[in-house]
Amino acid sequence: MRLRLRLMGQVRLSDAEGRDLTPRGRKARGLLALLGTAPDLRLGRAQLQDRLWSVSPQAQGSASLRQALRECRQALGEALIGGDGWVGLDPSRVTVDLAPVIGPTGQPAEFAEGLDIDDPEFEDWLRDTRLALEDRPALPDLPLLVLTEAQGDGPQARMLADCVLSEASARAAALIPAQVLRGGASGQGHGLLVEALCLAQPQGGVAVMLVLRDLQTGAQLWAQHYPLAPGLPDLRRVSAAMALTMIQTAGQVTPGARAGYPLGDLFSFSRARLLAADRRLTETAGAVPQALRAFLRYTLIIERQGGDPRILLDEADGLARQAREAAPHDPVVLSVAALMASWRGQVAGALDLARLACRMAPGHDLGQLALSQALNDAGRDSDALIAAMRAGNGPLAVLGQASWRLRLAVAQIRTGRLAEAETSAGAALAHAPDCRPALRMLAALRHHRGDDAGAADALDKLRRAEPDFTLSLMESPEYPVTTLRRAGLLGVTRSGL
């Protein structure tokens, strides 16, 4: 079960259904605040003791630390981890929320609000941490997603709605990009006011009405209801659908034609659009745009549209590495790092990174895509197909249908499902008519099943899209058709079509 540790405003630990698990002891809550802001969410026991019991005798401080850790363990369970001389929070089980929160006065609440611990070392740390968080860039150019508390039937229904809204807004904010605030006041910036009305259903579950309004004017931009069962698969499905809606609606309230990530261009197969996306992404600081720039460089490589592939791959490696150093637990960053490891032939590393991305954000579309690629590399083709099928429901997958359909086609070819692979490649081409990998697959698969006319049509389109294309080039080891080559599907290169 995933837990959420909210540190802006009062320290609060809650489970996936919104139940409050916060320890009652002040020192235990202080310990959560220390761990939640520590690198990799872990600190040495000596550091914790120095911060919380700096004026106590050594033996007394050690005993007090053990007591506070016991109290935290009662709340966290297996999410509290430890080793030789250190303790920490398991990042696969705990999400630390440092997003700004609007307080009752309409102003942002402070970090660890009301946490009064009479220890000079802790007081110094708390003051420094609050100052550091206040000094964070306000990012006024970014739109806001302001979440109101769900209204409607009963606490269980509201908790389910709040849970799915929190996850959806977090996923959407990472891809718009936007800031997430909790509150309800309008007119405080540009962005979306996110409202939910939930109604418990007689047969179980909840119907959630999502309403998106212009934050400045209050004008309603979107309203739709979603049937929501309490199981995790349904929570993730509805969360993904809501996130996509927020991403698409945010463009209506974002001033300036150049605001937001260029997701449409990012998942295209056009050199001009890819380079335009790269220029746009350089205008936004942060780990996610760096990771996305690494992602699009590999698209340029497989599309044979980016100059020296070795230079591009080195650039992509550097961007992915910088992104991971800046945000080591971000699922987009981890997914791209996994893809980079796959592209370098580092099978074990790719699997580890992709699995970590999926643990950090179960059901994440890019994480599942990276996992599918890594599983294919490891020869686990049936598992890769399952991961590819799971990858198709998230907002990135919907916005980048051609890329996700191609991944599915690769997994289907590797498992011998050639007719299904041809259908997937055709769908990818329908979403992106300039998608060269889809044309290569269609030419090879159609020829393999004896449809020479269909193969010739795909080759004609490929020659128009790729002026230097020849059948002999397609047969060469350097040409990007590894899956077709491994499956023995390059007979088309000897067809004379």
Side-chain angles (χ1 to χ4, degrees):
M1 178 174 63
R2 194 165 185 85
L3 306 176
R4 180 176 295 276
L5 176 60
R6 186 183 301 169
L7 295 178
M8 301 307 291
Q10 293 186 352
V11 174
R12 186 175 188 272
L13 179 70
S14 57
D15 64 12
E17 295 182 350
R19 288 189 291 261
D20 190 356
L21 305 176
T22 313
R24 298 182 67 179
R26 287 178 299 168
K27 294 292 182 79
R29 284 180 279 132
L31 194 149
L32 289 180
L34 287 163
L35 293 177
T37 52
D40 296 326
L41 306 185
R42 60 178 66 181
L43 278 174
R45 287 173 175 265
Q47 291 175 281
L48 291 170
Q49 187 171 330
D50 287 344
R51 288 270 165 78
L52 291 165
W53 294 277
S54 65
V55 296
S56 299
Q58 177 69 24
Q60 181 182 335
S62 181
S64 298
L65 174 60
R66 288 195 297 271
Q67 174 59 35
L69 287 172
R70 278 195 294 271
E71 188 177 352
C72 287
R73 187 168 286 108
Q74 289 176 350
L76 290 160
E78 294 182 355
L80 183 66
I81 57 177
D84 186 14
W86 63 270
V87 292
L89 305 175
D90 184 347
S92 69
R93 291 187 171 97
V94 181
T95 297
V96 177
D97 186 352
L98 283 167
V101 176
I102 298 299
T105 64
Q107 297 299 315
E110 67 179 357
F111 172 80
E113 193 169 77
L115 187 56
D116 184 14
I117 294 177
D118 187 16
D119 187 286
E121 289 293 330
F122 185 83
E123 290 174 348
D124 288 346
W125 171 82
L126 184 60
R127 182 181 61 254
D128 292 344
T129 303
R130 286 172 175 168
L131 287 172
L133 290 171
E134 289 174 4
D135 289 341
R136 288 186 300 179
L139 302 176
D141 57 320
L142 291 185
L144 303 175
L145 297 179
V146 178
L147 274 62
T148 61
E149 290 194 11
Q151 304 297 311
D153 285 347
Q156 179 68 20
R158 292 196 297 272
M159 282 190 293
L160 277 174
D162 278 331
C163 180
V164 75
L165 278 177
S166 294
E167 181 173 337
S169 61
R171 296 180 72 173
L175 299 173
I176 293 174
Q179 292 177 279
V180 179
L181 298 179
R182 294 182 181 275
S186 60
Q188 59 184 298
H190 65 276
L192 299 175
L193 184 65
V194 183
E195 301 174 336
L197 177 66
C198 51
L199 180 65
Q201 300 296 288
Q203 67 275 21
V206 179
V208 179
M209 173 68 77
L210 173 69
V211 179
L212 301 179
R213 301 183 185 276
D214 186 315
L215 186 59
Q216 288 187 324
T217 67
Q220 181 173 304
L221 304 172
W222 180 270
Q224 182 172 334
H225 82 275
Y226 302 82
L228 176 62
L232 276 176
D234 212 42
L235 288 171
R236 291 170 184 164
R237 174 188 61 79
V238 173
S239 169
M242 287 183 173
L244 177 63
T245 299
M246 293 178 195
I247 292 168
Q248 294 175 320
T249 309
Q252 300 179 40
V253 294
T254 302
R258 298 180 62 80
Y261 292 151
L263 296 177
D265 291 339
L266 177 69
F267 293 109
S268 75
F269 291 83
S270 156
R271 173 180 168 81
R273 293 181 66 187
L274 288 166
L275 294 179
D278 191 49
R279 289 192 295 271
R280 286 271 303 279
L281 289 168
T282 61
E283 298 170 3
T284 305
V288 170
Q290 286 181 307
L292 296 178
R293 291 182 67 206
F295 180 87
L296 71 81
R297 271 159 175 71
Y298 189 71
T299 304
L300 287 169
I301 292 171
I302 62 172
E303 288 295 278
R304 303 179 66 244
Q305 297 194 73
D308 190 334
R310 293 169 298 181
I311 294 175
L312 281 174
L313 196 54
D314 287 341
E315 289 179 0
D317 274 336
L319 288 165
R321 184 171 56 255
Q322 292 168 23
R324 193 174 172 208
E325 288 171 355
H329 304 304
D330 184 275
V332 172
V333 170
L334 287 168
S335 301
V336 172
L339 289 170
M340 294 304 306
S342 286
W343 299 333
R344 288 289 194 187
Q346 300 162 353
V347 177
L351 270 173
D352 286 345
L353 288 165
R355 286 170 175 158
L356 180 55
C358 293
R359 284 198 299 272
M360 297 302 299
H364 195 278
D365 38 9
L366 191 57
Q368 291 290 339
L369 182 142
L371 180 60
S372 176
Q373 175 70 60
L375 288 167
N376 268 150
D377 294 342
R380 295 172 54 183
D381 297 329
S382 296
D383 292 336
L385 179 58
I386 293 170
M389 294 172 69
R390 288 175 179 163
N393 296 322
L396 279 177
V398 174
L399 293 167
Q401 276 284 300
S403 296
W404 267 258
R405 295 281 186 166
L406 282 175
R407 170 91 296 268
L408 182 59
V410 169
Q412 288 165 335
I413 290 173
R414 295 287 290 268
T415 52
R417 304 186 182 200
L418 301 187
E420 295 174 20
E422 187 175 337
T423 299
S424 296
L429 190 65
H431 285 285
D434 50 1
C435 181
R436 301 179 185 187
L439 289 169
R440 296 163 191 156
M441 286 183 182
L442 289 173
L445 291 167
R446 288 171 179 173
H447 175 76
H448 182 76
R449 66 174 172 83
D451 179 9
D452 281 351
D457 178 66
L459 288 171
D460 286 345
K461 292 176 180 176
L462 187 56
R463 290 184 178 104
R464 289 197 293 272
E466 196 173 343
D468 66 338
F469 175 82
T470 64
L471 290 176
S472 60
L473 176 64
M474 187 176 184
E475 193 175 22
S476 67
E478 295 79 18
Y479 197 75
V481 284
T482 301
T483 294
L484 298 175
R485 186 177 295 109
R486 288 180 177 174
L489 293 172
L490 287 183
V492 68
T493 62
R494 299 178 292 279
S495 66
L497 293 173

